[in-house]
Amino acid sequence: MMDTKLPYFKDALEIIKNYDHSFIVRNSGGLAVVGDEGVLNFSLILPEHPQQKMPINTGYEFMFHLINEAIKPFGKISEAYEIKDSYCPGDFDLSIDGKKFAGISQRRLKNGVAIMIYISVNGNQEKRAEMIRDFYQAGLKGESVKWHFPSVDPSVMATLEELLSISLTVDEMKQLILNTLLQKNCTISPGVYSSELLADYSEGFEKMIRRNQQMLGNSIDKELIE
């Protein structure tokens, strides 16, 4: 949402279009990230007692340790600290050898907390970072603003496939995470899309469309989101 405050926001959106990407304003996290077929996004939604709020770092650390357990068989572990010149930098950027491959955000829900992560599993991470670098350059045009936007350096980011020196697909990464949960005695059950759940989803989807149309005006439409 912070990106909408760029002084030349519409010019910045044109950069995304020129890279042949669509865009959406998400309701978690602060700054732009890139999603494509080589990026895995998933969420952990943890219950929370109304009278005992979960400390903010607890959710971040849960996700951080889950990913490290998943990649442990490959002989490397990630570190969690801010990679300043990455896109969407934060205290829980996940990196190996100083190069970021994932970022974590968090959002409180009714009676719970959603911890969300994107993982650059494979693909052209340099091009992803170049797009966001160009996005900010077009959106700022050298002006100083009260908000901090990163000066994105593509060299400080990489894919997990590159950092582990293996061939890795998004489906394989999903399975590594599922296997880790099973090893930690979690029970995995297939979800059921009940009529109530589908109705809630439809309502939330329409709210998301309206929010984006309000924030982006004529730059986005319902067909693009769908």
Side-chain angles (χ1 to χ4, degrees), residues 25-36:
V25 179
R26 60 195 175 113
N27 62 2
S28 68
L31 296 166
V33 296
V34 181
D36 58 30

Side-chain angles (χ1 to χ4, degrees), residues 25 42 64 78 83 86 100 116 119 122 124 127 152 193 198:
V25 179
F42 78 96
F64 169 52
S78 70
I83 305 295
S86 65
K100 177 177 173 177
M116 292 153 277
I119 304 173
N122 59 36
N124 192 338
K127 184 178 179 181
V152 178
Y193 288 97
L198 289 171

Side-chain angles (χ1 to χ4, degrees), residues 14-21 127 130-134:
E14 288 300 316
I15 296 295
I16 305 297
K17 291 179 182 178
N18 290 341
Y19 274 87
D20 200 28
H21 268 264
K127 184 178 179 181
E130 287 173 350
M131 179 174 68
I132 302 303
R133 178 199 61 197
D134 295 349

Side-chain angles (χ1 to χ4, degrees), residues 28-226:
S28 68
L31 296 166
V33 296
V34 181
D36 58 30
E37 64 274 10
V39 177
L40 171 62
N41 293 276
F42 78 96
S43 302
L44 294 171
I45 301 174
L46 304 180
E48 183 179 55
H49 193 280
Q51 274 74 51
Q52 190 173 359
K53 297 292 185 182
M54 182 186 302
I56 189 165
N57 277 359
T58 299
Y60 284 120
E61 289 169 358
F62 197 104
M63 182 69 83
F64 169 52
H65 291 303
L66 173 60
I67 300 305
N68 266 344
E69 286 294 316
I71 65 175
K72 185 188 291 185
F74 304 105
K76 291 191 177 183
I77 60 171
S78 70
E79 296 181 275
Y81 63 91
E82 183 176 347
I83 305 295
K84 293 186 181 299
D85 290 332
S86 65
Y87 53 67
C88 198
D91 291 343
F92 276 85
D93 293 340
L94 302 191
S95 62
I96 294 174
D97 299 329
K99 295 199 172 188
K100 177 177 173 177
F101 67 89
I104 308 174
S105 63
Q106 194 168 167
R107 182 168 182 248
R108 289 197 180 276
L109 309 170
K110 183 180 179 180
N111 300 325
V113 176
I115 305 101
M116 292 153 277
I117 190 170
Y118 81 84
I119 304 173
S120 294
V121 178
N122 59 36
N124 192 338
Q125 182 56 44
E126 183 176 2
K127 184 178 179 181
R128 295 176 188 134
E130 287 173 350
M131 179 174 68
I132 302 303
R133 178 199 61 197
D134 295 349
F135 169 81
Y136 287 124
Q137 288 177 351
L140 288 168
K141 300 192 192 304
E143 289 190 11
S144 296
V145 294
K146 65 179 180 179
W147 301 279
H148 175 71
F149 298 102
S151 299
V152 178
D153 177 2
S155 69
V156 303
M157 303 185 74
T159 65
L160 193 53
E161 181 179 65
E162 293 168 331
L163 295 171
L164 297 179
S165 300
I166 60 171
S167 174
L168 185 64
T169 67
V170 168
D171 283 342
E172 288 168 345
M173 187 63 199
K174 288 180 186 178
Q175 195 59 51
L176 287 169
I177 293 166
L178 290 172
N179 290 345
T180 300
L181 292 170
L182 289 170
Q183 290 164 8
K184 299 299 179 182
N185 298 317
C186 295
T187 300
I188 298 176
S189 303
V192 177
Y193 288 97
S194 65
S195 58
E196 182 181 3
L197 183 60
L198 289 171
D200 287 344
Y201 173 81
S202 180
E203 180 182 354
F205 186 75
E206 291 297 328
K207 286 181 180 178
M208 180 269 294
I209 291 172
R210 291 195 297 271
R211 186 180 70 249
N212 272 266
Q213 288 175 332
Q214 181 180 6
M215 289 182 171
L216 301 175
N218 294 328
S219 298
I220 196 167
D221 58 36
K222 185 173 179 179
E223 289 184 4
L224 179 61
I225 296 173
E226 291 177 332

